[in-house]
Structures are given as C-alpha cells and as structure tokens.
Short mmCIF file of all heavy atoms in Angstrom, two decimals:
data_model
loop_
_atom_site.label_atom_id
_atom_site.label_comp_id
_atom_site.label_asym_id
_atom_site.label_seq_id
_atom_site.Cartn_x
_atom_site.Cartn_y
_atom_site.Cartn_z
N LEU A 1 0.45 -1.97 -12.67
CA LEU A 1 0.19 -0.53 -12.74
C LEU A 1 -0.95 -0.13 -11.80
O LEU A 1 -0.86 0.87 -11.08
CB LEU A 1 -0.13 -0.11 -14.17
CG LEU A 1 -0.34 1.37 -14.42
CD1 LEU A 1 0.91 2.18 -14.06
CD2 LEU A 1 -0.72 1.59 -15.88
N LEU A 2 -2.02 -0.92 -11.78
CA LEU A 2 -3.15 -0.66 -10.89
C LEU A 2 -2.69 -0.65 -9.42
O LEU A 2 -2.99 0.28 -8.67
CB LEU A 2 -4.24 -1.71 -11.09
CG LEU A 2 -5.37 -1.72 -10.07
CD1 LEU A 2 -6.26 -0.50 -10.26
CD2 LEU A 2 -6.17 -3.00 -10.19
N ILE A 3 -1.96 -1.68 -9.02
CA ILE A 3 -1.50 -1.81 -7.64
C ILE A 3 -0.54 -0.67 -7.29
O ILE A 3 -0.65 -0.05 -6.23
CB ILE A 3 -0.82 -3.18 -7.40
CG1 ILE A 3 -1.82 -4.33 -7.63
CG2 ILE A 3 -0.17 -3.26 -6.03
CD1 ILE A 3 -3.06 -4.27 -6.79
N ASP A 4 0.38 -0.38 -8.19
CA ASP A 4 1.35 0.68 -7.97
C ASP A 4 0.65 2.03 -7.76
O ASP A 4 0.94 2.75 -6.81
CB ASP A 4 2.31 0.74 -9.15
CG ASP A 4 3.47 1.67 -8.91
OD1 ASP A 4 4.14 1.52 -7.87
OD2 ASP A 4 3.70 2.56 -9.76
N ARG A 5 -0.28 2.35 -8.62
CA ARG A 5 -0.99 3.63 -8.51
C ARG A 5 -1.90 3.68 -7.29
O ARG A 5 -2.01 4.71 -6.62
CB ARG A 5 -1.79 3.89 -9.78
CG ARG A 5 -0.90 4.26 -10.94
CD ARG A 5 -1.69 4.62 -12.15
NE ARG A 5 -0.81 5.03 -13.24
CZ ARG A 5 -1.24 5.28 -14.45
NH1 ARG A 5 -2.53 5.18 -14.75
NH2 ARG A 5 -0.39 5.63 -15.39
N PHE A 6 -2.58 2.57 -7.00
CA PHE A 6 -3.48 2.53 -5.84
C PHE A 6 -2.71 2.82 -4.55
O PHE A 6 -3.08 3.69 -3.77
CB PHE A 6 -4.19 1.18 -5.76
CG PHE A 6 -5.04 1.04 -4.53
CD1 PHE A 6 -6.28 1.64 -4.46
CD2 PHE A 6 -4.58 0.32 -3.44
CE1 PHE A 6 -7.07 1.52 -3.31
CE2 PHE A 6 -5.36 0.19 -2.29
CZ PHE A 6 -6.60 0.80 -2.24
N TYR A 7 -1.62 2.08 -4.33
CA TYR A 7 -0.89 2.25 -3.08
C TYR A 7 -0.13 3.57 -3.02
O TYR A 7 0.09 4.10 -1.93
CB TYR A 7 0.01 1.05 -2.80
CG TYR A 7 -0.82 -0.12 -2.32
CD1 TYR A 7 -1.12 -1.18 -3.17
CD2 TYR A 7 -1.36 -0.12 -1.05
CE1 TYR A 7 -1.93 -2.22 -2.75
CE2 TYR A 7 -2.17 -1.16 -0.61
CZ TYR A 7 -2.44 -2.21 -1.46
OH TYR A 7 -3.24 -3.22 -1.05
N ALA A 8 0.22 4.14 -4.15
CA ALA A 8 0.81 5.48 -4.16
C ALA A 8 -0.18 6.51 -3.62
O ALA A 8 0.21 7.49 -3.00
CB ALA A 8 1.26 5.85 -5.57
N GLU A 9 -1.46 6.26 -3.84
CA GLU A 9 -2.51 7.16 -3.35
C GLU A 9 -2.87 6.91 -1.89
O GLU A 9 -3.08 7.85 -1.13
CB GLU A 9 -3.77 7.02 -4.21
CG GLU A 9 -3.61 7.51 -5.62
CD GLU A 9 -3.54 9.03 -5.72
OE1 GLU A 9 -4.23 9.71 -4.94
OE2 GLU A 9 -2.79 9.51 -6.58
N VAL A 10 -3.00 5.65 -1.50
CA VAL A 10 -3.52 5.37 -0.15
C VAL A 10 -2.46 5.43 0.95
O VAL A 10 -2.79 5.75 2.09
CB VAL A 10 -4.28 4.02 -0.08
CG1 VAL A 10 -5.46 4.02 -1.01
CG2 VAL A 10 -3.37 2.84 -0.32
N ARG A 11 -1.22 5.15 0.63
CA ARG A 11 -0.19 5.15 1.67
C ARG A 11 -0.06 6.50 2.37
O ARG A 11 0.07 6.54 3.60
CB ARG A 11 1.13 4.66 1.11
CG ARG A 11 1.11 3.17 0.86
CD ARG A 11 2.19 2.68 -0.02
NE ARG A 11 3.51 2.76 0.58
CZ ARG A 11 4.59 2.32 -0.02
NH1 ARG A 11 4.54 1.78 -1.22
NH2 ARG A 11 5.76 2.42 0.57
N PRO A 12 -0.09 7.63 1.65
CA PRO A 12 0.00 8.92 2.36
C PRO A 12 -1.34 9.47 2.84
O PRO A 12 -1.39 10.53 3.46
CB PRO A 12 0.61 9.84 1.30
CG PRO A 12 0.15 9.29 0.00
CD PRO A 12 0.08 7.79 0.22
N ASP A 13 -2.43 8.74 2.61
CA ASP A 13 -3.75 9.24 2.96
C ASP A 13 -3.88 9.41 4.48
O ASP A 13 -3.56 8.50 5.24
CB ASP A 13 -4.83 8.27 2.46
CG ASP A 13 -6.22 8.81 2.70
OD1 ASP A 13 -6.71 9.55 1.84
OD2 ASP A 13 -6.80 8.49 3.77
N PRO A 14 -4.37 10.58 4.94
CA PRO A 14 -4.45 10.81 6.38
C PRO A 14 -5.45 9.92 7.11
O PRO A 14 -5.31 9.67 8.31
CB PRO A 14 -4.86 12.28 6.49
CG PRO A 14 -5.36 12.68 5.16
CD PRO A 14 -4.77 11.74 4.16
N LEU A 15 -6.46 9.41 6.42
CA LEU A 15 -7.47 8.57 7.08
C LEU A 15 -7.06 7.10 7.13
O LEU A 15 -7.27 6.43 8.15
CB LEU A 15 -8.82 8.70 6.36
CG LEU A 15 -9.98 7.91 6.96
CD1 LEU A 15 -10.27 8.35 8.39
CD2 LEU A 15 -11.22 8.06 6.09
N ILE A 16 -6.46 6.57 6.07
CA ILE A 16 -6.16 5.13 6.03
C ILE A 16 -4.68 4.80 5.88
O ILE A 16 -4.30 3.63 5.93
CB ILE A 16 -6.96 4.42 4.91
CG1 ILE A 16 -6.60 4.97 3.54
CG2 ILE A 16 -8.46 4.51 5.19
CD1 ILE A 16 -7.20 4.20 2.39
N GLY A 17 -3.84 5.79 5.72
CA GLY A 17 -2.42 5.54 5.51
C GLY A 17 -1.76 4.75 6.63
O GLY A 17 -0.83 3.98 6.38
N HIS A 18 -2.26 4.89 7.85
CA HIS A 18 -1.64 4.18 8.98
C HIS A 18 -1.74 2.66 8.85
O HIS A 18 -0.95 1.94 9.45
CB HIS A 18 -2.25 4.65 10.31
CG HIS A 18 -3.68 4.26 10.50
ND1 HIS A 18 -4.72 4.93 9.89
CD2 HIS A 18 -4.23 3.28 11.23
CE1 HIS A 18 -5.86 4.36 10.25
NE2 HIS A 18 -5.59 3.36 11.07
N PHE A 19 -2.67 2.16 8.06
CA PHE A 19 -2.78 0.72 7.85
C PHE A 19 -1.59 0.18 7.05
O PHE A 19 -1.34 -1.02 7.04
CB PHE A 19 -4.07 0.36 7.12
CG PHE A 19 -5.31 0.56 7.93
CD1 PHE A 19 -6.23 1.54 7.57
CD2 PHE A 19 -5.57 -0.20 9.05
CE1 PHE A 19 -7.39 1.74 8.31
CE2 PHE A 19 -6.72 0.00 9.81
CZ PHE A 19 -7.63 0.97 9.44
N PHE A 20 -0.89 1.05 6.35
CA PHE A 20 0.14 0.63 5.40
C PHE A 20 1.56 0.99 5.81
O PHE A 20 2.50 0.74 5.07
CB PHE A 20 -0.16 1.24 4.02
CG PHE A 20 -1.55 0.95 3.56
CD1 PHE A 20 -2.54 1.93 3.65
CD2 PHE A 20 -1.91 -0.30 3.06
CE1 PHE A 20 -3.85 1.67 3.23
CE2 PHE A 20 -3.20 -0.56 2.66
CZ PHE A 20 -4.16 0.41 2.74
N THR A 21 1.74 1.57 6.99
CA THR A 21 3.07 2.05 7.37
C THR A 21 4.05 0.94 7.72
O THR A 21 5.25 1.14 7.58
CB THR A 21 2.98 3.03 8.56
OG1 THR A 21 2.31 2.40 9.64
CG2 THR A 21 2.25 4.30 8.17
N HIS A 22 3.59 -0.19 8.17
CA HIS A 22 4.50 -1.26 8.60
C HIS A 22 4.50 -2.45 7.65
O HIS A 22 4.84 -3.56 8.05
CB HIS A 22 4.16 -1.71 10.02
CG HIS A 22 4.28 -0.61 11.02
ND1 HIS A 22 5.49 -0.05 11.36
CD2 HIS A 22 3.35 0.07 11.72
CE1 HIS A 22 5.29 0.92 12.23
NE2 HIS A 22 4.00 1.01 12.47
N VAL A 23 4.16 -2.22 6.39
CA VAL A 23 4.12 -3.29 5.40
C VAL A 23 5.49 -3.44 4.75
O VAL A 23 6.12 -2.45 4.38
CB VAL A 23 3.05 -2.99 4.32
CG1 VAL A 23 3.08 -4.02 3.21
CG2 VAL A 23 1.67 -2.92 4.96
N ASP A 24 5.94 -4.66 4.62
CA ASP A 24 7.17 -4.95 3.86
C ASP A 24 6.78 -5.01 2.39
O ASP A 24 6.34 -6.05 1.89
CB ASP A 24 7.76 -6.28 4.34
CG ASP A 24 8.96 -6.73 3.53
OD1 ASP A 24 9.32 -6.07 2.52
OD2 ASP A 24 9.54 -7.77 3.88
N TRP A 25 6.89 -3.89 1.69
CA TRP A 25 6.38 -3.78 0.32
C TRP A 25 7.11 -4.67 -0.65
O TRP A 25 6.51 -5.17 -1.61
CB TRP A 25 6.40 -2.31 -0.12
CG TRP A 25 5.39 -1.55 0.66
CD1 TRP A 25 5.63 -0.70 1.69
CD2 TRP A 25 3.97 -1.62 0.52
NE1 TRP A 25 4.44 -0.22 2.21
CE2 TRP A 25 3.40 -0.78 1.50
CE3 TRP A 25 3.11 -2.31 -0.33
CZ2 TRP A 25 2.03 -0.61 1.64
CZ3 TRP A 25 1.75 -2.14 -0.19
CH2 TRP A 25 1.23 -1.30 0.79
N THR A 26 8.39 -4.94 -0.42
CA THR A 26 9.15 -5.83 -1.31
C THR A 26 8.54 -7.23 -1.29
O THR A 26 8.44 -7.89 -2.32
CB THR A 26 10.63 -5.87 -0.89
OG1 THR A 26 11.15 -4.54 -0.92
CG2 THR A 26 11.43 -6.75 -1.81
N HIS A 27 8.13 -7.67 -0.14
CA HIS A 27 7.52 -8.99 0.02
C HIS A 27 6.03 -8.97 -0.36
O HIS A 27 5.53 -9.90 -1.00
CB HIS A 27 7.68 -9.47 1.46
CG HIS A 27 6.91 -10.71 1.79
ND1 HIS A 27 7.32 -11.96 1.40
CD2 HIS A 27 5.75 -10.88 2.45
CE1 HIS A 27 6.43 -12.85 1.81
NE2 HIS A 27 5.47 -12.23 2.46
N HIS A 28 5.33 -7.93 0.04
CA HIS A 28 3.88 -7.91 -0.06
C HIS A 28 3.35 -7.59 -1.46
O HIS A 28 2.34 -8.15 -1.89
CB HIS A 28 3.31 -6.91 0.96
CG HIS A 28 1.87 -7.10 1.25
ND1 HIS A 28 1.34 -8.29 1.66
CD2 HIS A 28 0.83 -6.23 1.20
CE1 HIS A 28 0.03 -8.17 1.84
NE2 HIS A 28 -0.31 -6.92 1.57
N THR A 29 4.03 -6.70 -2.19
CA THR A 29 3.54 -6.30 -3.50
C THR A 29 3.36 -7.47 -4.47
O THR A 29 2.30 -7.58 -5.10
CB THR A 29 4.44 -5.20 -4.11
OG1 THR A 29 4.42 -4.07 -3.23
CG2 THR A 29 3.95 -4.77 -5.48
N PRO A 30 4.31 -8.38 -4.59
CA PRO A 30 4.07 -9.53 -5.49
C PRO A 30 2.88 -10.39 -5.07
O PRO A 30 2.17 -10.93 -5.91
CB PRO A 30 5.38 -10.34 -5.41
CG PRO A 30 6.40 -9.36 -4.96
CD PRO A 30 5.67 -8.38 -4.08
N ARG A 31 2.64 -10.49 -3.76
CA ARG A 31 1.49 -11.27 -3.29
C ARG A 31 0.18 -10.57 -3.65
O ARG A 31 -0.79 -11.21 -4.06
CB ARG A 31 1.58 -11.50 -1.78
CG ARG A 31 2.74 -12.40 -1.39
CD ARG A 31 2.82 -12.67 0.08
NE ARG A 31 1.60 -13.17 0.68
CZ ARG A 31 1.14 -14.41 0.58
NH1 ARG A 31 1.80 -15.30 -0.14
NH2 ARG A 31 0.03 -14.76 1.19
N ILE A 32 0.14 -9.25 -3.46
CA ILE A 32 -1.05 -8.48 -3.82
C ILE A 32 -1.31 -8.61 -5.32
O ILE A 32 -2.45 -8.83 -5.75
CB ILE A 32 -0.89 -7.00 -3.45
CG1 ILE A 32 -0.76 -6.82 -1.94
CG2 ILE A 32 -2.05 -6.17 -3.98
CD1 ILE A 32 -0.30 -5.44 -1.54
#
C-alpha cells in the first residue's frame, strides 16, 4: 500500500516524474 500510494503521487509530479517514465513497473514493483 505504501509503495502503491507513493508512486501514484510521484509518477505524475512535474519536478520528479521524469525519473519514473521508463520504468517497467511489472518487474520493478516487486523488487521495490
């Protein structure tokens, strides 16, 4: 829940969202 909510907030963020645009979330989320 923490990870899901955190990335829901930061992915569209205009300042840092670009860090997350090319992430394979299916692969990366379980690792995080």
